[in-house]
Structures are given as structure tokens and as C-alpha cells.
Amino acid sequence: MSDASTDLTPYAKSIGIRIEGEEDGAPVLAFEFTGDVEGRPEHLHGGATSGLLETAGYALLRKELQQRGRTHRLKPINITVQFLSAGKRRTTYAKGRITKLGRRNANISVEAWQDDRDRPIATAIMNILMAGE
Amino acid sequence: MSEPHKFDPSQAAQFMLRHGHSSALGLEYHDHGDDWVELELPWREDLVGEADQEILASGPIISLLDMASGLSIWTANGKFVGIATMDLRVDYQRPARARSAVIAHVECYRLTKSAAFVRGYAHDGDPEDTVATMSAVFMSISGETRNV
């Protein structure tokens, strides 16, 4: 549990998601463009982009809870994804920001980008319930 | 029976689901109607959300719903058009059961010249006991003739 990379789910690993580093205390996740994440030819599949966003949101929340010495079962409530531009054949990154961390629920926003950090290709908002501390 | 050249998801799935991300997840055609499509995400050990539990992760379920959305749009439209997801929302009611496949049912309830509106749900055997519900909006991409 101490090594953040071991927190990646088997699903995340299967589509090539890795922990790229950390920025302002938040894990930056990434995957390369491979056939496993391709939708229409030469473009990222929206589902794969959503998976990267969601994984980045969980990585951030788990890290934050761990730092506070809190252990919970996380229950996903929902995710809303906005697709802003087509993902191309290059590395995609994602990083989350905790908008609210309460006793029972968390609200997280996540951005995914490729070349230009200031022009995200997709954003997501996630609500997560935290049970059984 | 069916009109010539009318988009048939059971036929299209034969090649669309054997390419890229859908193929990596092992998505399979399940059923369809005039404006809806059902796809199945078989359980697989490397698609689970927690290493010590045998429950499909939420990520592949989003992909399943997204892919069923596209097919429902082409089915309702009667032909393939280039589309891109604009906005997609998934509400999770509960985790899928251990080692259970998940089936997505998505209907395209409204098509305009520039947008397609879909809603659907995912279940693991009983459609009344949903794992997730979703709604999404897709936009058409003009000049795009290749498939997803």
C-alpha cells in the first residue's frame, strides 16, 4: 500500500496506465497511445480516456486519505466526463484536484491533456462515498 | 427483412468490436432493436478494480456504455456517421457481482442533425437491478466516413 504504483487496479495496468510522477502533491497518471486505447482510427477511445481520468481521481483520493491516516472503502457514486477535443496518437496525462474532502464524501475534478497542459482534451467530475473508517 | 445497406449492429459488431479498445476489453454483441443496442463485457481477471476481489472495474463499464451508445446511434440513424462523445455521465448503483459479466443496454432516444442523445444502463443478469445508469450526448463529425 505504501508504493502508489501498487494501488493501480489490474484494469488500469491492462490499458497501460502508469504513475508518471507527482505535481503539487497530486499523482500525475499517463498512458501511451496503443491499440488498446484506440477508438476510431488514430484517435483515443472515449472510454479509455474516461478510465484514465477516473483512475487519476482515485489515485489522488487514496493518497490524500493515506496521508491523513484514514482508511475507507471507496464507493463510486458517479462520474461526468466532458470531451473537449479528440485525443491523438501521443501520450495522455491526467491529474486530479480535490474540490471537497468530507467525512463521508469527496468531490474530485480531473483533467486530461496531451501536448498542451492548458488545453485539456477531457475533464471529469467524480463523487465518491467513503464508508467504514 | 432489413433494408439494403441499413446499419445492422449485429453485423457491424463483427469488425468494430475486433478493433482497438473494444477488442482489448473483449466486448461482445448481445442484442439490438430499432434504436437500442446491447453489448456484453465478459468478466476477465485483468479487468477487475481491486486485485483481491473478482469484480469488474468501473472503467471498462464506461467503455462498454460508450461503445453501446455509438452502436445505438448508428442503429437509430440507419447508417454509420462519424460521431464523437461530448458529454457522458455514469451513476454507479452498486458493484457488479464477483466473476459476473456486465451487459449494457443503450437507447438513442433523439437524433438531431448535429447531436445524438442516448441513455442506458448496465446490469449483471437482472435488468431491473442495475449496476449503473448513464446518459450521454454525442456530436456528429462531418466528413468522417470511417468506422470506430
Side-chain angles (χ1 to χ4, degrees), chain A residues 4-132:
Chain A
S5 67
T6 62
D7 289 343
L8 285 181
T9 64
Y11 154 71
K13 290 175 188 160
S14 83
I15 62 166
I17 296 177
R18 63 173 190 269
I19 298 191
E20 181 78 3
E22 203 176 290
E23 230 179 73
D24 312 319
V28 176
L29 272 60
F31 61 29
E32 297 305 320
F33 187 98
T34 64
D36 287 353
V37 296
E38 189 176 28
R40 64 195 161 95
E42 299 297 317
H43 292 86
L44 275 183
H45 192 286
T49 308
S50 304
L52 177 66
L53 286 162
E54 197 177 51
T55 303
Y58 279 113
L60 171 60
L61 180 58
R62 288 216 168 87
K63 178 171 188 292
E64 195 64 33
L65 290 172
Q66 195 177 359
Q67 276 175 356
R68 294 170 189 229
R70 292 170 58 175
T71 49
H72 291 279
R73 257 182 319 112
L74 303 184
K75 293 179 155 184
I77 295 303
N78 58 31
I79 179 168
T80 309
V81 186
Q82 312 294 314
F83 297 91
L84 308 173
S85 58
K88 305 283 173 50
R89 179 177 279 280
R90 50 194 69 125
T91 311
T92 309
Y93 305 90
K95 185 188 132 181
R97 189 173 63 83
I98 296 182
T99 311
K100 174 194 161 138
L101 179 56
R103 215 161 42 83
R104 291 193 56 235
N105 67 314
N107 181 280
I108 299 171
S109 61
V110 194
E111 288 193 354
W113 70 95
Q114 291 188 322
D115 298 327
D116 186 351
R117 185 53 196 274
D118 296 324
R119 295 184 60 187
I121 62 162
T123 63
I125 306 282
M126 301 165 62
N127 282 293
I128 299 163
L129 281 180
M130 300 173 290

Side-chain angles (χ1 to χ4, degrees), chain B residues 3-9 12 16 34 70-83 111 113 144-145:
Chain B
E3 301 161 34
H5 309 305
K6 190 171 157 68
F7 183 86
D8 179 349
M16 281 187 183
D34 287 344
L71 285 162
S72 79
I73 291 165
W74 298 318
T75 303
N77 191 41
K79 67 172 195 291
F80 178 86
V81 286
I83 51 169
L111 267 174
K113 214 177 168 86
E144 187 73 45
T145 55

Side-chain angles (χ1 to χ4, degrees), chain B residues 49-93:
Chain B
E50 308 266 354
D52 54 352
Q53 291 181 23
E54 299 179 316
I55 298 168
L56 284 171
S58 49
I61 296 175
I62 304 179
S63 297
L64 171 74
L65 288 161
D66 185 71
M67 198 61 207
S69 298
L71 285 162
S72 79
I73 291 165
W74 298 318
T75 303
N77 191 41
K79 67 172 195 291
F80 178 86
V81 286
I83 51 169
T85 322
M86 260 175 91
D87 169 290
L88 179 145
R89 176 195 172 107
V90 181
D91 293 303
Y92 300 111
Q93 279 85 50

Side-chain angles (χ1 to χ4, degrees), chain B residues 29-48:
Chain B
Y29 168 83
H30 195 254
D31 199 2
H32 80 277
D34 287 344
D35 60 356
W36 59 267
V37 169
E38 288 183 355
L39 295 182
E40 180 173 341
L41 168 68
W43 184 85
R44 223 171 65 198
E45 195 169 15
D46 63 337
L47 295 181
V48 303

